[in-house]
Amino acid sequence: MEQAPPDPERQLKPAPLEPLGRPDAGLEAVAGEEAERAREEGSEADTMTENNFGLKKIEISVSEAEKRTGRNAMNMQETYTAYLIETRSVEHADGQSVLTDSLWRRYSEFELLRNYLLVYYPHIVVPPLPEKRAEFVWHKLSADNMDPDFVERRRIGLENFLLRVASHPILCRDKIFYLFLTQEGNWKETVNETGFQLKADSRLKALNATFRVKNPDKRFTELKHYSDELQSVISHLLRVRARVADRLYGVYKVHGNYGRVFSEWSAIEKEMGDGLQSAGHHMDVYASSIDDILEDEEHYADQLKEYLFYAEALRAVCRKHELMQYDLEMAAQDLASKKQQCEELATGTVRTFSLKGMTTKLFGQETPEQREARIKVLEEQINEGEQQLKSKNLEGREFVKNAWTDIERFKEQKNRDLKEALISYAVMQISMCKKGIQVWTNAKECFSKM
């Protein structure tokens, strides 16, 4: 008997925001026993290979970003950023050392990889990419996607994305992902040859399923509501943080006026001059320190943004289930309709108004041979429909089982990551306050020596 999925109310209640860290072990993504177990339990997809990096240790890094100029598909000049991906096998299958591989990828290629993963692994909460353009920025921070600071943060985010995929027990074994890391030429052609675009569900179809599905699964409905709430909470948190950063920046910079005033004052004092001059220096240091502080804060904000985008990944799993449920209901409805038609033909009674019933009244009854032929065709269609319905039921149960397994994995990851990030953010705020106290303590000592 199939084990019931975890209780959604226990599982999906928005936990207090917890941290976004990097995948375990820094730059080392290890599939390990979990990946081996997933390989043994799961069916082998066409896109997977036995001899790929998922079965051994590999180090992955996006070590460099470079601004380039070239021509796009429309033969127009454009400026873009390319990212250097470096991989090194720590434990090769034959025990021999392997040289570091490196290649350059554009952000659009990362997008292509993720779109492929979304189509081929609809039951998995696929890790999100970092933002393409800066959002939730405070006024002194550039929103230009070519700004060096933004490019550097996006480089870190892209590296984090690769590590997330490489540490996933299923995604890490995908052949296309492996080629993304190792095959620079013709990689796009290899992805497109999989035909994943043709398998992608249209947005219109997904929207239609959302509104027309009659018996939605309560667990996935609650999951969708949870993802909406999670996105809302993190969005508000990021907006508050941006407003605080704006005000904090102003407060710190205003302290620079203390430095200027103390320096001017020291020029007219003989006995107090040295103390005032020193105090002014401490105020100048305090005012200039805010730039580095807020730059560090941006990295914590980027960690929160990762889970802001994870909310959409959760909704993608829900949409796929709605589509599967809608197809199942349509198949069941079609089967019931054919059974009713068959019964009406066999008994000679028409229970509901139909075009066929009107035709019979207008042009007379069918001959027994015609009726038998139609019944035979319907019986064949009913048998085929029953098989399809059984197949869709099995597919749906398998999807639910796999989806909830991955959702549980994601929830544990989210709780761990967000907890660490928020604790680190609090520690940074405490450190910032202590530095402020130290500045005024130093100023007090300067005043005491006057």
Side-chain angles (χ1 to χ4, degrees):
M1 181 178 295
E2 184 177 337
Q3 185 178 359
D7 179 15
E9 294 188 2
R10 174 186 66 80
Q11 174 170 322
L12 299 180
K13 188 175 294 183
L17 282 181
E18 298 158 293
L20 310 201
R22 307 283 295 283
D24 296 340
L27 293 181
E28 186 177 285
V30 183
E33 294 181 358
E34 188 175 14
E36 184 67 23
R37 184 165 58 252
R39 182 179 66 84
E40 293 173 355
E41 294 176 354
S43 60
E44 290 294 333
D46 292 338
T47 56
M48 295 184 185
T49 176
E50 291 282 350
N51 300 317
N52 63 48
F53 76 98
L55 304 182
K56 58 180 178 289
K57 297 180 180 179
I58 186 171
E59 290 182 351
I60 304 172
S61 66
V62 179
S63 58
E64 187 179 338
E66 180 178 282
K67 186 176 179 180
R68 295 182 176 182
T69 301
R71 293 192 175 276
N72 57 22
M74 303 295 293
N75 200 33
M76 297 177 63
Q77 195 82 359
E78 66 171 349
T79 301
Y80 62 92
T81 303
Y83 299 88
L84 180 64
I85 302 174
E86 294 184 337
T87 57
R88 183 172 70 87
S89 176
V90 179
E91 184 180 313
H92 195 254
D94 57 9
Q96 298 180 357
S97 61
V98 177
L99 295 176
T100 300
D101 289 327
S102 63
L103 48 79
W104 293 89
R105 296 286 186 205
R106 295 183 59 172
Y107 184 89
S108 59
E109 292 177 285
F110 282 86
E111 288 182 311
L112 182 61
L113 171 64
R114 186 171 186 273
N115 289 336
Y116 159 82
L117 294 175
L118 284 170
V119 171
Y120 269 90
Y121 304 95
H123 62 282
I124 288 177
V125 184
V126 178
L129 291 169
E131 58 191 348
K132 194 165 187 176
R133 290 175 176 77
E135 299 178 13
F136 303 102
V137 297
W138 53 287
H139 78 282
K140 288 293 182 180
L141 195 67
S142 174
D144 181 9
N145 64 341
M146 300 301 291
D147 177 74
D149 291 334
F150 173 73
V151 170
E152 171 60 17
R153 291 196 305 277
R154 190 164 67 178
R155 179 195 67 77
I156 295 172
L158 291 173
E159 180 178 277
N160 188 65
F161 165 75
L162 294 180
L163 293 173
R164 292 284 193 202
V165 175
S167 61
H168 193 283
I170 296 176
L171 298 181
C172 72
R173 296 179 291 113
D174 185 85
K175 181 180 178 181
I176 295 298
F177 175 53
Y178 176 67
L179 294 177
F180 178 84
L181 299 173
T182 58
Q183 177 181 305
E184 187 162 17
N186 300 322
W187 178 79
K188 287 185 179 180
E189 289 77 5
T190 303
V191 180
N192 292 328
E193 285 173 1
T194 64
F196 81 94
Q197 297 98 331
L198 300 176
K199 298 179 181 180
D201 299 314
S202 70
R203 293 185 179 181
L204 181 60
K205 184 179 178 182
L207 185 63
N208 183 51
T210 299
F211 288 104
R212 297 187 64 183
V213 66
K214 296 178 180 178
N215 299 301
D217 191 314
K218 182 180 178 182
R219 296 163 297 181
F220 284 92
T221 301
E222 291 178 350
L223 176 62
K224 184 187 287 188
H225 291 163
Y226 167 77
S227 64
D228 291 338
E229 292 171 2
L230 178 64
Q231 187 175 46
S232 176
V233 167
I234 295 180
S235 295
H236 291 158
L237 188 61
L238 288 168
R239 289 190 184 96
V240 170
R241 182 260 158 190
R243 290 198 297 268
V244 170
D246 275 329
R247 297 181 183 183
L248 197 61
Y249 182 85
V251 169
Y252 267 70
K253 289 302 182 182
V254 166
H255 278 71
N257 293 335
Y258 279 131
R260 178 177 55 80
V261 171
F262 286 149
S263 295
E264 292 174 353
W265 190 1
S266 68
I268 62 174
E269 299 285 352
K270 293 183 179 180
E271 297 180 357
M272 297 171 56
D274 290 342
L276 291 170
Q277 184 69 34
S278 297
H281 171 71
H282 288 302
M283 293 297 108
D284 290 337
V285 171
Y286 182 70
S288 62
S289 66
I290 189 60
D291 298 292
D292 291 335
I293 290 173
L294 293 183
E295 180 61 32
D296 290 340
E297 275 196 12
E298 285 304 313
H299 294 293
Y300 293 105
D302 288 338
Q303 289 179 320
L304 290 176
K305 288 177 183 179
E306 182 186 16
Y307 278 87
L308 178 71
F309 304 142
Y310 255 124
E312 175 56 30
L314 283 174
R315 285 195 290 270
V317 176
C318 295
R319 286 195 297 269
K320 182 61 180 180
H321 180 265
E322 287 175 341
L323 277 169
M324 295 179 71
Q325 178 66 22
Y326 179 68
D327 288 342
L328 179 66
E329 291 178 358
M330 291 298 100
Q333 182 177 318
D334 183 61
L335 179 61
S337 175
K338 283 184 170 57
K339 286 183 176 180
Q340 181 179 330
Q341 292 177 42
C342 188
E343 182 182 349
E344 290 174 351
L345 283 172
T347 60
T349 60
V350 179
R351 297 181 181 178
T352 58
F353 173 81
S354 67
L355 180 61
K356 185 61 183 176
M358 290 296 296
T359 303
T360 300
K361 290 181 179 180
L362 290 173
F363 300 103
Q365 295 288 337
E366 296 175 311
T367 65
E369 291 78 10
Q370 290 175 325
R371 189 183 322 58
E372 287 297 327
R374 288 189 58 207
I375 290 175
K376 185 177 180 180
V377 171
L378 282 170
E379 286 176 344
E380 292 176 355
Q381 292 176 347
I382 288 171
N383 288 333
E384 183 180 342
E386 287 175 342
Q387 291 299 319
Q388 289 180 352
L389 189 62
K390 182 180 178 181
S391 176
K392 288 181 182 294
N393 266 308
L394 290 174
E395 183 183 358
R397 284 197 292 267
E398 186 68 17
F399 177 89
V400 171
K401 177 184 175 182
N402 293 335
W404 282 104
T405 297
D406 198 65
I407 289 166
E408 186 68 20
R409 177 204 61 80
F410 164 77
K411 186 172 183 291
E412 292 176 0
Q413 168 194 302
K414 172 189 69 70
N415 291 346
R416 180 178 63 250
D417 289 349
L418 287 173
K419 179 179 178 182
E420 291 173 1
L422 291 180
I423 289 175
S424 298
Y425 182 75
V427 169
M428 189 186 75
Q429 297 300 314
I430 293 170
S431 175
M432 179 179 67
C433 294
K434 287 181 176 179
K435 289 179 180 178
I437 293 172
Q438 187 61 49
V439 165
W440 282 105
T441 300
N442 293 339
K444 176 186 173 184
E445 292 178 358
C446 294
F447 297 150
S448 299
K449 294 177 181 179
M450 290 191 303

